[in-house]
Amino acid sequence: MWRTLSQVAASACLVLLISVVMPNRAESTPELHLRLTKSQPAKDTLLASPPSEIRLWFSETPTLALSRVTLSGPGGNIELGKVTRDPDDSTLLVAKIVPELVGGNYSIAWRTASADGHPIRGTLPFSVRPE
């Protein structure tokens, strides 16, 4: 019986030592996956004038080859330029809006992936005030 109790005590001490010495992985890695942190236009905003581009900021560098942005509005799909990464900020993706937008409701749909291949996507509605 003493042998079993000492084995249990030794195991408990080992677990305690490991939990104190080893860092908590969640604490040492604050960002586990890529996420959208900011956008222009921002979600659910009413703009006084139409934007000329879409800007999406992420918590880490998104994989450009897997990144897509589309824009739809009152007349259907709207032509966008190629999605590019900002040369001064690797977390920022930019897509130029080719035609000038008119007043109405719009929706940005985006998708990308992190370096580990984890995909994310989302939508951002916004409106442009009629002239």
Side-chain angles (χ1 to χ4, degrees):
M1 173 155 167
W2 286 107
R3 185 173 179 190
T4 305
L5 285 175
S6 27
Q7 287 174 335
V8 169
S11 296
C13 286
L14 182 60
V15 168
L16 180 62
L17 179 64
I18 289 171
S19 67
V20 169
V21 173
M22 298 295 289
N24 183 340
R25 183 158 176 86
E27 290 175 7
S28 65
T29 310
E31 295 295 336
L32 297 177
H33 287 293
L34 180 70
R35 64 183 173 78
L36 182 71
T37 59
K38 179 180 165 184
S39 69
Q40 285 180 350
K43 183 177 182 179
D44 297 324
T45 56
L46 174 59
L47 303 174
S49 60
S52 60
E53 62 186 12
I54 296 168
R55 300 170 66 82
L56 304 171
W57 285 268
F58 294 90
S59 58
E60 59 187 64
T61 302
T63 303
L64 185 59
L66 301 175
S67 299
R68 304 286 181 267
V69 178
T70 61
L71 179 62
S72 58
N77 288 336
I78 296 158
E79 184 180 355
L80 298 177
K82 182 178 178 182
V83 177
T84 60
R85 182 176 292 130
D86 185 285
D88 298 323
D89 183 352
S90 67
T91 66
L92 172 58
L93 296 179
V94 179
K96 299 282 185 194
I97 300 171
V98 176
E100 185 169 333
L101 302 182
V102 296
N105 297 321
Y106 294 88
S107 181
I108 301 165
W110 59 268
R111 66 182 167 114
T112 191
S114 59
D116 68 0
H118 181 80
I120 63 168
R121 67 183 69 220
T123 58
L124 300 163
F126 71 95
S127 300
V128 175
R129 185 171 293 158
E131 291 183 22

